[in-house]
Structures are given as structure tokens and as C-alpha cells.
Amino acid sequence: MYEHHEKTYGRNFNYDDFISNFTVAAFDPKEWVNLIADAGAQYFVPTTSKNVYKRDSYNLLIVLVEHHDGFALFNFSSSISRRSSIHYGPKTDIIGKLMAAAKQYQPSLRREWYNPASAKYSWDPWQNGYVAFPGGPPKNPYSNQVVPYTGYVEIKDFITDIQLPQMRQLAYEYDTDLMWCDPGGPNNGTIFASEWLNWARDRGRQVAFNNRCGLAGDFDTPDTARGTTNSEIVARKWESCQTLDPHSWGYNYMTPDGAYHTGEWIVTSLVDIVSKNGNFLLNIGPRHDGSIPDIMQKNLRDAGQWIKAHGESIFGTRYWNTTAGTGSLRYTTTTNAFYIHYIGTPPSTINILDPVPYLPGDTVTVVGGSKNGSSVPVNWNGIGTLKLNLSSDIISADKYVWTFKIGYSAQ
């Protein structure tokens, strides 16, 4: 990157000089929220960066509102900072437009925010758990000279004067359901959380925040820097943070279409994560003009077709506390049903050695695919002996993950 930047832009072209390229000229908030819905996501989580990262998941979707360069995509008081898309680049409230589109075109999507720190104001080095941020003013890496920090407004304390006011703005003015902080470090999390949770309680709203806001929060967030997932069930709620481009969190024009994670990967990852009590947060990186590459849209919509057809076995379910599953099998459960997921094309007979809660008289049916609702013949000779006998029609009726529902009918 060091040599590429020097060759392509020159030694005197600084990071903030890229702001003029950030036009979002092709940004269509209606298309974004429709894509989110088509992908099967149920939650919408804005975050922010000048790269306009967009993150989506299947219990979450995140769009960056401000990342570690401190360039915000939402509106707030210019008395604390002017470093935002309101004053530079596209000169518009990107997040405001996105939220308005969500309310108008996809009102069922929940809204969440990602709010990280800005290293410019952190003058002392600090450690946040996986990487050190040295703090201090930005420097040209070739000359080591301090360069201007676009939009900077002199303040006394970053935590009190910028971080806390911005979090309040996002929570109260942008109708936020969840605050997603990153990467940790100095904060006023106790002040913000106590205010916000009490405010939400008084209005009968459900809100939450992750484990990077300075407190334990409501869920943990393993990602590519912390291990992306868990190999076993974790009783505390967690969220796997991964990216559609396996090489980058932002848009990388060098990534060929064939290198992106596919719809099949999204689906199988989702099933595995949910069976272990996790949510799936999937990052996608739009271009600087706000457009989302066709290959990303294709793979997301492909996954969305499966997710919507099998939603009852994913959303509103819980993990089975006996086991997440062994081999190709994964399990989810509700009060009235138990779901068996087989990852990959199944054989004609699925032997289930785990002690799944089946009793003679219970129904077993197909979930999703062209044979949705069809009965599945079974053999059962006691706990740990359930066999599902699949016809060729059932095997050819679905893709990626085959799902079967045990309906509790036995008395």
C-alpha cells in the first residue's frame, strides 16, 4: 500500500485528499434498503466511514456512520466538529436519507448504529484489546510531518465533547434500536447507557448495545481480528462479524467476482452461527459513489431467497442446549417445534444419533424449497435412533441447507 500510494497519488497526497472523491453520486437509499430486505436481514445498523462501508447481517444490518478516521455520515453540532459528509464530500446527511428510506419503503427493518472513536483526539497511546492506536494528529507517512485534520474543531476532551454528544445524537435523533461501538477504549459508556436505557424504558422501547461501548453490553462481538465465530454453543448472546469480501472490509477493486463469499456460504454460515446462539453480521463495502457492486447484490439476494423460505427455522428460534449439532447437522428450537438442518445435499437416509426431542406421533415435515410442508417418513426405536427417509423429490427440492421440522404432536 505504501508503494502503491506513492506511485499512484504521490507523496504529498494525504488521506483527507480522498474526501473529494467521496461523491455518493450513485447512492440510492431506496435501493439500499430494498437490498437489505431482499437479503433476508431483519435489523438495520448504520455505522460510518468515509469509505461508506455498509454492513448487513441476518439479525442485523450495519451501515457505517463514523469509523476510526472520524469522518461522520450524519448530522450533529458543528461546534464540536465539522468532519462529516454534511460539510465535506457529498455535503449531505447520508444516514438521514437512509433512515427516511427505511421508514418509507421497509418499515419492518430495525435500526442500529455503529459509533467508534476518533484517534485524532486521543493524545495518549491506549490499548483496546487487539490493536494499539497511537493517537495524536495525523502525519504524512513519507515526510512524518503533521498534516491538517479536515473539519477539526478545537475541544477540551474527545470523550466528553465529541463521543458522548454524537452517541446521544444517534440514539435520540435517529431513532436507534441498538448502539454498536468499536473498538473499545476510553468512553463514557456508563453515562450514555444509563440515560439511554432509562429513556427507552419510559417509552416502552427495546434497545441494546454491544460489548465495545465500555460495558459488558448485551452481546459479544467476535470478528476477523478476534476470531470470527465460536466452535461450540455460547450461552451469552454473541454476534459473528464477517465480511462478504474475504480480503477487505471496504470496497476493493482488486477482488474478482469469484472471490466473494457466495449465497451458499452466507446461508451455511448463518445456520451454523444461529445454532450456537449467535447472530450473523455480514459486512459489504460499496464504492465511493455509493453504488453496491452487482456481485454483492447477486450473492445477497441468492442467500435471501433461502432465508425467507426457511425463516421460521431461523428467526425467533433458540439454540438447543444439548448440542448445536454434529457433522452436517445443526439444530434450532422453539416452544412448539424442533428444527433439524442438514448442511449440504443430504443422503436418502439421515441418521440422527443426537437425542433430539422426537416422540412417536410427532410430525416431521420439510421446511422451505419446492416441497415445503411435505411429510417425511421416519424410523425411531428410542432416543438417539431417529432416521429421516428422504425421497429423491425432497432431495432435489432445495439447496444449500435442507431443513426439517419436528412438530410436537404426541400427547
Side-chain angles (χ1 to χ4, degrees), residues 142-194:
Y142 304 98
S143 66
N144 203 37
Q145 297 298 307
V146 173
V147 298
Y149 189 69
T150 304
Y152 175 71
V153 172
E154 189 69 34
I155 58 166
K156 293 182 179 180
D157 181 79
F158 167 70
I159 305 301
T160 302
D161 297 340
I162 290 186
Q163 186 189 79
L164 185 58
Q166 285 189 343
M167 292 180 75
R168 286 169 172 161
Q169 182 80 1
L170 292 171
Y172 304 125
E173 300 300 324
Y174 286 83
D175 202 19
T176 297
D177 296 310
L178 184 149
M179 189 67 71
W180 211 104
C181 303
D182 190 46
N187 63 83
N188 268 332
T190 53
I191 295 175
F192 169 76
S194 61

Side-chain angles (χ1 to χ4, degrees), residues 228-230 237-242 266 268-281 319 330:
T228 57
T229 189
N230 289 305
K237 195 64 183 176
W238 60 282
E239 176 184 80
S240 178
C241 308
Q242 303 191 48
I266 295 170
T268 56
S269 298
L270 173 66
V271 170
D272 178 65
I273 290 165
V274 171
S275 73
K276 298 168 183 173
N277 196 34
N279 282 11
F280 188 23
L281 178 66
Y319 66 96
R330 296 293 183 272

Side-chain angles (χ1 to χ4, degrees), residues 102-335:
K103 289 181 179 180
Q104 181 176 357
Y105 301 110
Q106 299 293 342
S108 64
L109 290 174
R110 301 292 294 274
R111 293 165 293 280
E112 309 177 19
W113 294 105
Y114 173 98
N115 188 59
S118 168
K120 160 69 178 176
Y121 300 93
S122 303
W123 296 100
D124 296 322
W126 51 278
Q127 193 78 16
N128 68 60
Y130 74 95
V131 64
F133 281 76
K139 294 183 179 181
N140 182 302
Y142 304 98
S143 66
N144 203 37
Q145 297 298 307
V146 173
V147 298
Y149 189 69
T150 304
Y152 175 71
V153 172
E154 189 69 34
I155 58 166
K156 293 182 179 180
D157 181 79
F158 167 70
I159 305 301
T160 302
D161 297 340
I162 290 186
Q163 186 189 79
L164 185 58
Q166 285 189 343
M167 292 180 75
R168 286 169 172 161
Q169 182 80 1
L170 292 171
Y172 304 125
E173 300 300 324
Y174 286 83
D175 202 19
T176 297
D177 296 310
L178 184 149
M179 189 67 71
W180 211 104
C181 303
D182 190 46
N187 63 83
N188 268 332
T190 53
I191 295 175
F192 169 76
S194 61
E195 293 176 350
W196 191 39
L197 293 175
N198 284 319
W199 176 88
R201 179 199 59 193
D202 293 344
R203 289 158 179 78
R205 288 188 54 183
Q206 291 288 330
V207 298
F209 56 95
N210 72 340
N211 64 326
R212 305 186 193 183
C213 294
L215 300 171
D218 298 292
F219 59 97
D220 295 331
T221 52
D223 61 21
T224 53
R226 299 169 173 85
T228 57
T229 189
N230 289 305
S231 59
E232 302 292 341
I233 291 171
V234 175
R236 174 173 158 83
K237 195 64 183 176
W238 60 282
E239 176 184 80
S240 178
C241 308
Q242 303 191 48
T243 175
L244 196 59
D245 181 340
H247 308 296
S248 176
W249 289 93
Y251 174 69
N252 183 353
Y253 76 94
M254 294 292 290
T255 302
D257 286 0
Y260 283 96
H261 286 310
T262 63
E264 180 176 7
W265 177 87
I266 295 170
V267 168
T268 56
S269 298
L270 173 66
V271 170
D272 178 65
I273 290 165
V274 171
S275 73
K276 298 168 183 173
N277 196 34
N279 282 11
F280 188 23
L281 178 66
L282 181 62
N283 174 81
I284 65 174
R287 301 183 183 95
H288 67 281
D289 63 0
S291 63
I292 299 173
D294 290 343
I295 186 62
M296 295 186 185
Q297 297 190 45
K298 175 180 178 294
N299 292 353
L300 288 168
R301 288 193 167 97
D302 180 40
Q305 290 179 353
W306 188 96
I307 292 166
K308 290 182 177 182
H310 302 75
E312 70 169 88
S313 68
I314 299 295
F315 301 116
T317 64
R318 292 182 57 82
Y319 66 96
W320 185 36
N321 58 13
T322 300
T323 176
T326 54
S328 297
L329 293 167
R330 296 293 183 272
Y331 308 115
T332 54
T333 183
T334 65
T335 302

